[in-house]
């Protein structure tokens, strides 16, 4: 019986154990070797194994290192006390075909760690009789294993200092999706269902750019976050006006576990090839682009400061902008999913914000009409935005500056932040004919925390 508290939501939100990692610090190498020896000796003592390993010891060492890294990685993404401790891995033999860790080795490792009280396992199961599928087995490190690691100099919160996570760049870097569902407001996954498409000259050019970015960043080491290369996703593929001009954002492979879903504060704790990072934000990106398509420059100052509304309304105004551009026309009520996440929005009347927004930005009255080049609504704005970001990243690459996209912001080594800001501004101006309002976010210990071009600290 498990001694770890069971939370069904945590179990279903478990992180995938890829079994693709190896130790890179001396402490981790010693820890892995020690654990492998303990597993093997316990198997011999209990009769689970008759003979001591000879030619397969390296396989066990790799299995121990890769699985231990997966078990500890969950603590490297969150504050240790708030981390979801569970990881999942199918125990079906076929799921190990072609993998670096064999089914036999992994099964013996799991059994050995369980006998040593270092691992908790929950077998694959269904949540209810109505479920058609079966959830893969779940695993988590016991308090004893976490203490064992700490005693040997491995802090789970600093797992990336001790283990290198291996990955393959995505083979398919372009994806097309159908129109999104009506309940549009979501950040957990890209909207719409995948669609097949024919490859031609246009798609090859798109793919070549993504592969160029992927291959360049693969030469650098990201610490404090996960990135396994990009896939560029286009939307509204079932729209008769579609011609690779809707959507187009870069999504980090294994999106739900990537740096793109981390908070801004945690992203600023990352390093690229050992260098601290900075993040350059485009303030009110969609609003800036929308106004540019109407020949209007977004004015200086806080874009979310509206006439007649005080600073206490700012957060609600920003939410109104997000929901309105996602809805492709001014909203008349708060989306249910937005209210679920931010119930305090009920205190703000949508009609009041709409009136103030249209007073400051009369062009919003035309929201929902064609934008340009056959584009409409949020998907068209996203396409213009992604074009600016990708052209900036390619230009930075030519200066040997690695960068990571967070859709409307760029992460770069902090020492290159000013170059990146200038490059992003120039790309925006050349493509959209306006100058964006940019700010540089830095970790608090690096150069004062945040530098604006005359803007306030809030996004």
């Amino acid at each position: 019986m498990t001694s770890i508290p069971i939370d069904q939501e945590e179990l279903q939100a478990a992180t995938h154990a890829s079994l693709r990692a190896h130790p890179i610090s001396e402490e981790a190498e010693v820890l892995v070797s020690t654990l492998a020896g303990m597993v093997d000796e316990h198997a011999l003592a209990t009769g689970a194994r008759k003979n001591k390993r000879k030619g397969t010891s390296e396989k066990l060492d790799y299995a121990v290192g890769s699985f231990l890294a997966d078990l500890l990685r969950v603590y490297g993404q969150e504050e240790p006390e708030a981390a979801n401790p569970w990881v999942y891995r199918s125990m079906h033999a076929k799921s190990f075909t072609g993998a670096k860790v064999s089914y036999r080795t992994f099964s013996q490792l799991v059994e050995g760690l369980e006998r040593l009280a270092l691992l908790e396992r929950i077998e694959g199961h269904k949540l209810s009789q109505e479920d058609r599928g079966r959830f893969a087995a779940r695993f988590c490190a016991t308090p004893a294993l976490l203490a064992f690691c700490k005693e040997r100099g491995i802090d789970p919160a600093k797992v990336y200092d001790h283990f290198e996570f291996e990955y393959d760049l995505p083979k398919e870097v372009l994806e097309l999706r159908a129109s999104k569902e009506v309940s549009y407001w979501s950040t957990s996954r890209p909207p719409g269902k995948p669609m097949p498409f024919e490859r031609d000259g246009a798609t090859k050019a798109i793919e070549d750019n993504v592969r160029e970015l992927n291959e360049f960043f693969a030469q650098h080491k990201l610490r404090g976050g996960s990135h396994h290369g990009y896939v560029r996703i286009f939307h509204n593929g079932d729209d008769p006006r579609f011609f690779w001009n809707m959507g187009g954002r870069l999504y980090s492979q294994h999106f739900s576990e990537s740096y793109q879903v981390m908070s801004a504060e945690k992203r600023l704790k990352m390093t690229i090839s050992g260098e601290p990072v900075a993040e350059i934000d485009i303030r009110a990106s969609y609003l800036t682009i929308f106004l540019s398509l109407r020949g209007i420059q977004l004015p200086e100052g806080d874009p979310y400061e509206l006439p007649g509304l005080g600073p206490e309304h700012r957060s609600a105004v920003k939410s109104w902008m997000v929901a309105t551009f996602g809805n492709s026309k001014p909203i008349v009520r708060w989306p249910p999913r937005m209210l679920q996440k931010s119930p305090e929005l009920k205190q703000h009347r949508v009609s009041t914000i709409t009136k103030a927004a249209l007073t400051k930005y009369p062009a919003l009255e035309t929201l929902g009409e064609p934008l340009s080049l056959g584009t409409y609504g949020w998907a068209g704005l996203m396409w213009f935005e992604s074009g600016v970001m990708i052209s900036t990243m390619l230009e930075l690459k030519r200066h040997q500056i690695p960068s990571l996209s967070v859709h409307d912001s760029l992460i770069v080594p902090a020492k290159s932040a000013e170059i990146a800001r200038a490059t992003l501004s120039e790309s925006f101006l050349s493509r959209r004919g306006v100058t964006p309002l940019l700010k540089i976010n830095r970790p608090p210990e690096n150069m004062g925390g945040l530098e604006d071009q005359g803007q306030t600290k809030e996004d």
Side-chain angles (χ1 to χ4, degrees), residues 188-208:
S188 61
R189 59 183 175 83
K193 296 181 179 180
M195 293 178 59
F197 62 90
E198 294 184 5
R199 284 177 164 77
D200 55 20
T203 60
K204 184 180 186 303
I206 294 171
E207 291 173 317
D208 287 348

Side-chain angles (χ1 to χ4, degrees), residues 94-371:
K94 289 184 178 180
S95 70
F96 291 83
T97 301
K100 296 186 72 172
V101 176
S102 70
Y103 169 74
R104 178 182 177 84
T105 300
F106 186 67
S107 298
Q108 293 175 346
L109 170 61
V110 167
E111 292 171 4
L113 291 175
E114 281 188 294
R115 294 193 192 100
L116 292 167
L118 300 177
L119 182 73
E120 293 283 359
R121 167 169 49 169
I122 295 179
E123 299 290 352
H125 64 289
K126 293 184 177 182
L127 288 180
S128 68
Q129 293 298 322
E130 290 73 28
D131 289 334
R132 293 184 179 182
R134 178 183 176 90
F135 290 98
R138 264 57 177 170
F139 306 92
C140 76
T142 63
L145 177 55
L146 297 178
F148 188 84
C149 293
K150 288 184 177 180
E151 290 168 1
R152 285 153 181 80
I154 306 297
D155 182 353
K158 298 181 179 179
V159 60
Y160 291 97
D161 293 338
H162 300 284
F163 292 90
E164 179 75 44
F165 289 87
E166 308 159 10
Y167 63 89
D168 298 316
L169 294 178
K171 295 180 180 179
E172 302 296 335
V173 297
L174 181 58
E175 186 174 317
L176 178 61
R177 289 179 176 251
S179 300
K180 62 183 180 181
E181 295 113 357
V182 175
S183 55
Y184 63 90
W185 197 80
S186 174
T187 58
S188 61
R189 59 183 175 83
K193 296 181 179 180
M195 293 178 59
F197 62 90
E198 294 184 5
R199 284 177 164 77
D200 55 20
T203 60
K204 184 180 186 303
I206 294 171
E207 291 173 317
D208 287 348
N209 284 339
V210 179
R211 288 198 171 94
E212 182 177 349
L213 291 174
N214 285 349
E215 291 167 5
F216 176 62
F217 196 87
Q219 302 170 22
H220 300 80
K221 301 296 183 183
L222 179 66
R223 293 284 182 267
S226 176
H227 175 54
H228 295 177
Y230 289 117
V231 175
R232 192 174 183 189
I233 300 180
F234 285 79
H235 298 285
N236 295 3
D238 51 353
D239 189 313
R241 298 163 297 200
F242 176 84
F243 185 70
W244 304 106
N245 58 352
M246 300 182 190
R249 275 181 171 174
L250 294 174
Y251 287 88
S252 182
Q253 191 178 209
H254 310 307
F255 173 66
S256 63
E257 300 171 14
S258 77
Y259 74 91
Q260 289 181 329
V261 298
M262 293 167 58
S263 68
E265 292 77 13
K266 290 175 182 176
R267 292 197 299 268
L268 288 176
K269 295 179 182 179
M270 300 191 304
T271 61
I272 296 176
S273 295
E275 296 282 345
V277 301
E279 187 165 345
I280 298 94
D281 288 332
I282 304 174
R283 306 199 70 197
S285 176
Y286 276 11
L287 178 60
T288 302
I289 294 170
F290 175 79
L291 293 178
S292 76
L293 293 168
R294 301 294 186 253
I296 302 170
Q297 165 73 54
L298 181 69
E300 292 288 336
D302 187 347
Y304 303 122
E305 182 179 311
L306 301 183
L309 299 182
E312 69 276 10
H313 294 277
R314 187 185 186 282
S315 179
V317 171
K318 183 176 180 181
S319 295
W320 182 91
M321 291 287 184
V322 170
T324 287
F325 282 114
N327 193 45
S328 297
K329 61 181 179 180
I331 58 172
V332 296
R333 63 180 64 87
W334 293 115
R337 295 179 71 175
M338 185 176 273
L339 283 175
Q340 185 178 6
K341 184 176 182 180
S342 304
E344 68 277 6
L345 289 174
K346 294 179 180 179
Q347 303 172 17
H348 303 273
R349 295 186 64 178
V350 170
S351 59
T352 300
I353 297 176
T354 300
K355 181 178 179 181
L358 294 179
T359 299
K360 184 172 182 177
Y361 306 112
L364 288 175
E365 291 273 15
T366 67
L367 193 61
E369 297 177 8
L371 296 173

Side-chain angles (χ1 to χ4, degrees), residues 429-456:
L429 181 60
S430 65
R431 284 174 168 264
R432 299 273 29 95
V434 298
T435 300
L437 303 182
L438 303 177
K439 68 178 180 180
I440 300 179
N441 290 315
R442 301 179 188 269
E445 65 273 17
N446 288 300
M447 302 179 69
L450 184 146
E451 299 176 359
D452 280 342
Q453 292 183 327
Q455 304 304 315
T456 57

